[in-house]
Amino acid sequence: MAKHVVTLIPGDGIGPEITTAMRRVVDATGVDIEWEIADAGEHVMAEYGTPLPEHVIEACRRNKVAIKGPVTTPVGTGFRSVNVALRKELDLYVNLRPAFSIPGTGARYEDIDIVIVRENTEDLYAGIEFEEGAPETAELIKFCAEKGAGIIRPDSGISLKPISITGSERIVRYAFEYALANGRKKVTAVHKANILKYSDGLYLDVARKVAAEYEGRVEFEDRIVDMTCMGLVLYPEQFDVVVLPNLYGDIVSDLAAGLIGGLGMAPGANIGTDCAVFEPVHGSAPKYTGKDMANPTAEILTAVLMLKHLGEFEAAEKILSGVKAVLAEGVNVTYDIKRTNTGSTDGAVGTQAYADAIIATF
Ligand code: NAP
């Protein structure tokens, strides 16, 4: 039996290509992993009647560690995001998104080292929505008017933003514990508490209480989300560990990906109490499907996070060094890296050739 059994969800769009590249790189380190393939997404709907079959969730639960490629969420079809559903089903309350510079990407900044800790289960992503014109939406609108909460136009659709003490406490505590365990100096809690008093206001109150427990060990500050975005662009060196509610976390982590050279470079992990599902920040980039063009670095760096989680530090280091060497050389790199470095995609190599170049460094 292999030392580790890992559930692999290839996803769709560029998912199968970049997860193949990732798997080849991980296997080439010699680490003993058995991959248990589990398919999810629109392409399994016909067979299982759902894009996220129960056996996929079960496989993640059983193996406790999964890695996935992106899964497309069709817009405006009533089809719920597989990614959001998986995070909810497995209570993966942390979305960890480290953004660190690697020379050779052509990124606008050179010394970025920021860790985004995004809450993953609540907020506007809780999936509690009321469709425009539905009877329950009319009821909710009436309720709000009767209780003096406010007048909502009758032709509105409504999405709820629940933020709890429980959800806020565990995510902020995770950020502080992560900071302590990883030698980080500061945690910044991001919010819009000046406007959203009962949701973000609650989050900020809880963050301040948790921060008090870490006083003298980890520095704490809070910032409003709009100022945070400007700050990240103007003086990113002021940020260390940044903890945010779900929606701001999603947006700000794409901003952070932009600081390190784009979505092709940004890894991620969804972590819960019993289980972890590793996935890059980016989506399925459908226009590149099957073209062997997409940059697999984010997926490969996601595997580096997974290997560290599994205690396979040597294999993780080998891959990271390989990625750094190939990017520094700048020859065998994908179209996006060529584009940021030279303004043209001429001379770019494909997804699998880039993986081969990393493997050749081992
Ligand atoms: P996206 O798939 O992240 O792609 C947006 C753009 O980012 C691409 O067109 C490409 O830019 C660049 N990019 C993303 N991944 C790249 C890679 N590996 N290598 C090089 N460039 C990359 O965002 P989207 O088009 O908004 O979303 C597509 C679908 O993915 C949607 O259905 C969305 O819901 C889903 N999604 C899934 C996840 C997930 O599975 N966790 C996460 C986010 C989105 P250029 O065209 O400029 O090269």
Side-chain angles (χ1 to χ4, degrees):
M1 182 160 157
K3 189 168 168 201
H4 310 285
V5 184
V6 170
T7 303
L8 172 58
I9 305 171
D12 55 30
I14 59 169
E17 300 159 56
I18 59 170
T19 53
T20 297
M22 174 279 295
R23 185 176 160 177
R24 289 175 52 235
V25 169
V26 172
D27 286 342
T29 66
V31 72
D32 189 12
I33 292 181
E34 180 188 327
W35 305 94
E36 192 180 315
I37 311 294
D39 269 321
E42 203 176 11
H43 59 291
V44 306
M45 282 281 281
E47 193 174 346
Y48 299 105
T50 165
L52 181 59
E54 189 53 39
H55 68 264
V56 175
I57 301 168
E58 244 339 283
C60 297
R61 270 204 194 102
R62 181 171 7 94
N63 296 327
K64 298 196 183 328
V65 177
I67 185 162
K68 65 184 279 295
V71 178
T72 306
T73 307
V75 178
T77 55
F79 175 112
R80 278 206 61 204
S81 162
V82 164
N83 313 302
V84 175
L86 197 58
R87 292 168 197 164
K88 272 196 93 175
E89 284 287 336
L90 298 169
D91 198 23
L92 304 170
Y93 67 94
V94 182
N95 192 185
L96 189 68
R97 294 178 158 183
F100 52 93
S101 302
I102 297 184
T105 59
R108 288 174 188 268
Y109 299 83
E110 282 176 354
D111 297 312
I112 302 294
D113 188 9
I114 298 167
V115 177
I116 305 286
V117 178
R118 165 190 172 193
E119 203 288 326
N120 227 1
T121 62
E122 305 199 312
D123 196 355
L124 281 162
Y125 281 41
I128 308 170
E129 301 206 283
F130 295 83
E131 194 176 2
E132 186 275 320
E136 41 301 353
T137 313
E139 240 178 90
L140 181 58
I141 290 172
K142 191 164 157 255
F143 177 85
C144 291
E146 282 171 4
K147 298 293 174 195
I151 301 301
I152 302 172
R153 288 195 185 97
D155 57 348
S156 298
I158 301 172
S159 304
L160 295 190
K161 178 183 161 88
I163 300 260
S164 69
I165 294 175
T166 309
S168 303
E169 202 201 312
R170 66 181 180 171
I171 196 66
V172 176
R173 193 170 295 287
Y174 182 92
F176 275 97
E177 289 297 325
Y178 180 94
L180 279 179
N182 292 278
R184 297 276 176 168
K185 304 240 168 328
K186 182 165 80 175
V187 169
T188 303
V190 175
H191 58 87
K192 189 78 183 173
N194 51 333
I195 306 294
L196 303 167
K197 298 195 189 304
Y198 297 141
S199 49
D200 285 18
L202 177 95
Y203 168 81
L204 178 57
D205 273 355
V206 172
R208 284 182 173 147
K209 282 188 189 122
V210 173
E213 293 175 35
Y214 293 85
E215 208 178 330
R217 292 186 290 162
V218 182
E219 201 186 314
F220 174 72
E221 63 172 10
D222 73 88
R223 292 194 192 210
I224 291 176
V225 63
D226 35 3
M227 296 299 286
T228 301
C229 291
M230 188 190 67
L232 278 165
V233 174
L234 275 180
Y235 33 77
E237 66 284 354
Q238 290 190 2
F239 294 87
D240 190 347
V241 176
V242 184
V243 60
L244 316 90
N246 208 337
L247 177 65
Y248 308 145
D250 194 10
I251 298 166
V252 170
S253 50
D254 268 35
L255 195 163
L259 302 176
I260 58 161
L263 282 168
M265 295 301 303
N270 301 292
I271 299 167
T273 318
D274 303 319
C275 177
V277 177
F278 294 81
E279 66 178 345
V281 173
H282 66 72
S284 57
K287 66 180 171 187
Y288 296 117
T289 304
K291 294 196 170 148
D292 187 41
M293 279 179 75
N295 184 354
T297 307
E299 186 76 43
I300 291 169
L301 295 176
T302 295
V304 168
L305 295 180
M306 181 190 76
L307 289 168
K308 287 185 181 164
H309 179 83
L310 291 170
E312 296 286 355
F313 297 103
E314 211 177 297
E317 199 40 54
K318 206 176 201 176
I319 295 175
L320 187 56
S321 302
V323 169
K324 284 182 177 169
V326 173
L327 289 172
E329 199 185 22
V331 178
N332 295 301
V333 294
T334 46
Y335 82 93
D336 53 326
I337 302 291
K338 273 279 181 225
R339 189 177 58 192
T340 38
N341 271 310
T342 66
S344 147
T345 58
D346 290 353
V349 301
T351 311
Q352 302 308 325
Y354 171 75
D356 290 338
I358 294 170
I359 292 167
T361 68
F362 294 171

